[in-house]
Tab-separated table of all heavy atoms in Angstrom:
chain	number	residue	atom	x	y	z
A	79	LEU	N	-1.958	-8.482	13.357
A	79	LEU	CA	-1.534	-7.192	13.875
A	79	LEU	C	-2.780	-6.353	14.170
A	79	LEU	O	-3.797	-6.483	13.475
A	79	LEU	CB	-0.650	-6.454	12.870
A	79	LEU	CG	0.547	-7.212	12.298
A	79	LEU	CD1	1.350	-6.301	11.375
A	79	LEU	CD2	1.418	-7.785	13.395
A	80	LEU	N	-2.687	-5.486	15.174
A	80	LEU	CA	-3.827	-4.649	15.533
A	80	LEU	C	-3.715	-3.301	14.820
A	80	LEU	O	-2.705	-2.606	14.937
A	80	LEU	CB	-3.878	-4.444	17.046
A	80	LEU	CG	-5.102	-3.686	17.571
A	80	LEU	CD1	-6.388	-4.480	17.307
A	80	LEU	CD2	-4.953	-3.397	19.068
A	81	TRP	N	-4.763	-2.940	14.086
A	81	TRP	CA	-4.826	-1.686	13.361
A	81	TRP	C	-5.877	-0.768	13.994
A	81	TRP	O	-6.781	-1.230	14.709
A	81	TRP	CB	-5.237	-1.913	11.909
A	81	TRP	CG	-4.227	-2.596	11.039
A	81	TRP	CD1	-2.981	-3.042	11.388
A	81	TRP	CD2	-4.389	-2.914	9.653
A	81	TRP	NE1	-2.356	-3.611	10.317
A	81	TRP	CE2	-3.190	-3.546	9.230
A	81	TRP	CE3	-5.406	-2.721	8.732
A	81	TRP	CZ2	-3.005	-4.002	7.919
A	81	TRP	CZ3	-5.233	-3.166	7.431
A	81	TRP	CH2	-4.044	-3.803	7.030
A	82	MET	N	-5.773	0.514	13.666
A	82	MET	CA	-6.755	1.500	14.099
A	82	MET	C	-7.064	2.449	12.950
A	82	MET	O	-6.163	2.819	12.189
A	82	MET	CB	-6.228	2.295	15.310
A	82	MET	CG	-7.173	3.387	15.768
A	82	MET	SD	-6.567	4.483	17.101
A	82	MET	CE	-4.941	3.892	17.431
A	83	ARG	N	-8.324	2.847	12.827
A	83	ARG	CA	-8.734	3.896	11.902
A	83	ARG	C	-9.658	4.870	12.632
A	83	ARG	O	-10.297	4.502	13.618
A	83	ARG	CB	-9.428	3.313	10.660
A	83	ARG	CG	-8.456	2.571	9.745
A	83	ARG	CD	-9.109	2.097	8.469
A	83	ARG	NE	-8.105	1.565	7.547
A	83	ARG	CZ	-8.212	0.390	6.933
A	83	ARG	NH1	-9.277	-0.369	7.125
A	83	ARG	NH2	-7.251	-0.018	6.109
A	84	LEU	N	-9.733	6.097	12.132
A	84	LEU	CA	-10.520	7.141	12.773
A	84	LEU	C	-11.649	7.587	11.851
A	84	LEU	O	-11.553	7.494	10.628
A	84	LEU	CB	-9.624	8.331	13.139
A	84	LEU	CG	-8.450	8.002	14.068
A	84	LEU	CD1	-7.640	9.247	14.370
A	84	LEU	CD2	-8.933	7.350	15.360
A	85	LYS	N	-12.710	8.088	12.483
A	85	LYS	CA	-13.924	8.467	11.749
A	85	LYS	C	-13.978	9.968	11.513
A	85	LYS	O	-14.052	10.755	12.455
A	85	LYS	CB	-15.163	8.004	12.513
A	85	LYS	CG	-16.466	8.167	11.734
A	85	LYS	CD	-17.633	7.571	12.500
A	85	LYS	CE	-18.914	7.642	11.685
A	85	LYS	NZ	-20.069	7.052	12.433
A	86	ASP	N	-13.923	10.353	10.256
A	86	ASP	CA	-14.098	11.731	9.806
A	86	ASP	C	-15.184	11.684	8.740
A	86	ASP	O	-14.898	11.572	7.553
A	86	ASP	CB	-12.778	12.282	9.258
A	86	ASP	CG	-12.926	13.661	8.615
A	86	ASP	OD1	-13.978	14.297	8.830
A	86	ASP	OD2	-11.987	14.088	7.911
A	87	GLY	N	-16.443	11.697	9.182
A	87	GLY	CA	-17.572	11.406	8.298
A	87	GLY	C	-17.784	9.911	8.206
A	87	GLY	O	-18.836	9.384	8.556
A	88	SER	N	-16.759	9.193	7.735
A	88	SER	CA	-16.726	7.729	7.736
A	88	SER	C	-15.333	7.316	8.197
A	88	SER	O	-14.448	8.156	8.380
A	88	SER	CB	-17.033	7.171	6.344
A	88	SER	OG	-16.079	7.649	5.402
A	89	TYR	N	-15.118	6.031	8.389
A	89	TYR	CA	-13.800	5.571	8.805
A	89	TYR	C	-12.843	5.659	7.621
A	89	TYR	O	-13.063	5.035	6.589
A	89	TYR	CB	-13.881	4.168	9.387
A	89	TYR	CG	-14.447	4.198	10.790
A	89	TYR	CD1	-15.765	3.840	11.032
A	89	TYR	CD2	-13.674	4.639	11.857
A	89	TYR	CE1	-16.291	3.910	12.313
A	89	TYR	CE2	-14.189	4.705	13.139
A	89	TYR	CZ	-15.505	4.346	13.362
A	89	TYR	OH	-16.023	4.423	14.631
A	90	GLN	N	-11.795	6.459	7.790
A	90	GLN	CA	-10.913	6.807	6.683
A	90	GLN	C	-9.843	5.732	6.457
A	90	GLN	O	-9.251	5.225	7.406
A	90	GLN	CB	-10.246	8.151	6.962
A	90	GLN	CG	-11.241	9.293	7.117
A	90	GLN	CD	-12.094	9.482	5.875
A	90	GLN	OE1	-11.588	9.703	4.769
A	90	GLN	NE2	-13.417	9.378	6.041
A	91	SER	N	-9.588	5.439	5.173
A	91	SER	CA	-8.641	4.375	4.840
A	91	SER	C	-7.849	4.669	3.575
A	91	SER	O	-7.386	3.747	2.900
A	91	SER	CB	-9.379	3.038	4.687
A	91	SER	OG	-10.371	3.126	3.664
A	92	ASP	N	-7.694	5.949	3.235
A	92	ASP	CA	-6.851	6.286	2.087
A	92	ASP	C	-5.381	6.099	2.457
A	92	ASP	O	-4.998	6.210	3.621
A	92	ASP	CB	-7.092	7.731	1.652
A	92	ASP	CG	-8.447	7.911	0.966
A	92	ASP	OD1	-9.030	6.889	0.555
A	92	ASP	OD2	-8.912	9.058	0.859
A	93	ALA	N	-4.552	5.894	1.464
A	93	ALA	CA	-3.141	5.564	1.684
A	93	ALA	C	-2.344	6.695	2.314
A	93	ALA	O	-1.222	6.473	2.780
A	93	ALA	CB	-2.490	5.158	0.363
A	94	THR	N	-2.913	7.898	2.362
A	94	THR	CA	-2.193	9.048	2.917
A	94	THR	C	-2.893	9.647	4.139
A	94	THR	O	-2.649	10.799	4.484
A	94	THR	CB	-2.027	10.136	1.838
A	94	THR	OG1	-3.332	10.521	1.361
A	94	THR	CG2	-1.196	9.626	0.670
A	95	ASP	N	-3.746	8.890	4.807
A	95	ASP	CA	-4.545	9.435	5.909
A	95	ASP	C	-3.811	9.499	7.244
A	95	ASP	O	-4.158	10.332	8.097
A	95	ASP	CB	-5.830	8.609	6.093
A	95	ASP	CG	-6.920	9.017	5.125
A	95	ASP	OD1	-6.903	10.187	4.681
A	95	ASP	OD2	-7.785	8.185	4.805
A	96	TYR	N	-2.830	8.626	7.470
A	96	TYR	CA	-2.254	8.489	8.811
A	96	TYR	C	-0.726	8.446	8.789
A	96	TYR	O	-0.113	8.011	7.806
A	96	TYR	CB	-2.740	7.190	9.471
A	96	TYR	CG	-4.237	7.039	9.519
A	96	TYR	CD1	-4.904	6.277	8.561
A	96	TYR	CD2	-4.984	7.648	10.526
A	96	TYR	CE1	-6.291	6.128	8.606
A	96	TYR	CE2	-6.363	7.511	10.579
A	96	TYR	CZ	-7.004	6.751	9.612
A	96	TYR	OH	-8.371	6.610	9.654
A	97	ALA	N	-0.144	8.878	9.898
A	97	ALA	CA	1.269	8.638	10.196
A	97	ALA	C	1.329	7.956	11.557
A	97	ALA	O	0.496	8.216	12.431
A	97	ALA	CB	2.047	9.957	10.231
A	98	TRP	N	2.309	7.070	11.747
A	98	TRP	CA	2.367	6.326	13.010
A	98	TRP	C	3.775	5.795	13.253
A	98	TRP	O	4.597	5.693	12.339
A	98	TRP	CB	1.378	5.156	13.004
A	98	TRP	CG	1.576	4.206	11.845
A	98	TRP	CD1	0.973	4.263	10.618
A	98	TRP	CD2	2.470	3.083	11.797
A	98	TRP	NE1	1.435	3.253	9.812
A	98	TRP	CE2	2.353	2.510	10.506
A	98	TRP	CE3	3.351	2.511	12.706
A	98	TRP	CZ2	3.079	1.386	10.121
A	98	TRP	CZ3	4.088	1.393	12.318
A	98	TRP	CH2	3.936	0.844	11.036
Side-chain angles (χ1 to χ4, degrees):
L79 308 183
L80 185 64
W81 290 0
M82 177 185 1
R83 290 185 172 131
L84 302 180
K85 189 175 184 180
D86 173 14
S88 59
Y89 284 102
Q90 299 301 302
S91 59
D92 288 343
T94 58
D95 278 334
Y96 306 98
W98 56 269

